[in-house]
Amino acid sequence: MSDHTPQHHDSITAAECRERLLRGECGLWHLPGGPLTVCGEAHVGRLLVAHGAGAGQDSTFLQRLRSGLAGSGVQTLAIEFAYLQQMRREGRRRPPPRVDRLMEEMATWCDTLSHPDLPPLWLGGKSMGGRVASLLAARDGAPGLVLCGYPFHPPRKPERRRLEHWPQLRCPALVVQGSRDAFGTREEVKHYALPDVARLHWLEDGDHDWKPRRASGRTQEQLIDEGAATIAAFMGEST
């Protein structure tokens, strides 16, 4: 796990962050809430990206996804939760806190990164980060949602569905899911009663990290690029 430490980021205040965003700047910044990576120009829109439970924004998956989204006109604003920052400082793994704490962290980031003179801030994330984004959108509303590898249930526990809040979603919501995802396969999810605002895009033979089997003839990079293009198109249609 690489280290996101202040020497790699400009330390700035929330107000300075908004000023930089209004000037159209990108970069690696360290705010009171932690590191923020801003990538790309918002020709299509802006997307807050939260990470999964065990890997931060320096994961290969999220780096490739942000690059693909930037190439498709979506500006990404990548955050890291406090528990992961503590993991980096201590050099050891720890479980994430209760999801309501993560929701409050994300809500604070939304307040910091939103501005009436900037395009609306969509919420999204990988796995757990997407779940947090969906819970916050169900509670407070959002311009839109992008959920990459949504954890519909824990692996091997399909009866424990994480869909209680989905009927409260009122914004456009895109789920980009590998067809073999252990947190919700295509065969499982097709039986779910999802709200009309939700759209599913299946990445053929992809797992939770959108990695296909070699026999599929495709690569993870190709599936991530497909996912990024699908996200950009969905945001463009919905704004």
Side-chain angles (χ1 to χ4, degrees):
M1 181 182 292
S2 65
D3 184 22
H4 276 290
T5 51
Q7 66 259 31
H8 297 301
H9 297 70
D10 292 336
S11 293
I12 60 175
T13 66
E16 289 171 331
C17 176
R18 284 189 287 270
E19 290 173 2
R20 292 187 180 196
L21 292 174
L22 286 166
R23 291 197 297 266
E25 295 183 21
C26 297
L28 309 176
W29 309 328
H30 200 280
L31 280 74
L36 172 70
T37 302
V38 181
C39 179
E41 298 181 2
H43 300 299
V44 173
R46 299 195 306 150
L47 176 64
L48 182 150
V49 179
H51 55 81
Q57 296 292 351
D58 54 352
S59 71
T60 299
F61 177 92
L62 286 174
Q63 290 188 62
R64 176 87 187 196
L65 180 64
R66 293 197 303 269
S67 176
L69 289 170
S72 297
V74 175
Q75 182 181 71
T76 56
L77 301 99
I79 64 170
E80 287 198 345
F81 293 114
Y83 83 92
L84 191 77
Q85 298 171 49
Q86 186 175 355
M87 280 173 50
R88 295 185 187 282
R89 290 193 298 269
E90 297 176 350
R92 64 184 181 91
R93 301 185 72 84
R94 62 173 52 245
R98 288 173 54 91
V99 71
D100 54 348
R101 282 183 54 188
L102 300 177
M103 287 172 61
E104 295 310 319
E105 282 191 59
M106 184 175 284
T108 299
W109 277 110
C110 289
D111 291 341
T112 299
L113 301 175
S114 297
H115 191 280
D117 293 332
L118 290 170
L121 183 67
W122 281 48
L123 306 184
K126 170 72 166 69
S127 192
M128 179 200 74
R131 183 183 177 212
V132 175
S134 67
L135 285 161
L136 185 60
R139 188 190 73 180
D140 296 348
L145 275 175
V146 173
L147 311 176
C148 301
Y150 186 79
F152 286 102
H153 59 73
R156 296 176 297 281
K157 297 179 181 178
E159 72 282 358
R160 291 177 53 187
R161 297 180 185 178
R162 294 164 171 154
L163 293 170
E164 297 87 352
H165 60 290
W166 279 55
Q168 283 71 57
L169 293 175
R170 298 291 182 266
C171 63
L174 174 67
V175 181
V176 184
Q177 195 90 348
S179 64
R180 297 186 299 112
D181 194 327
F183 290 80
T185 66
R186 178 160 48 196
E187 288 303 308
E188 292 167 338
V189 176
K190 74 179 183 180
H191 299 294
Y192 298 169
L194 301 180
D196 291 340
V197 296
R199 183 188 302 179
L200 286 160
H201 180 86
W202 292 102
L203 298 173
E204 192 62 42
D205 207 60
D207 65 6
H208 192 53
D209 291 323
W210 302 355
K211 289 181 181 178
R213 291 168 293 193
R214 183 175 299 178
S216 72
R218 305 193 69 192
T219 66
Q220 184 190 33
E221 290 78 11
Q222 289 173 327
L223 294 191
I224 292 175
D225 287 346
E226 178 184 332
T230 301
I231 291 166
F234 183 78
M235 292 180 66
E237 295 168 4
S238 305
T239 53

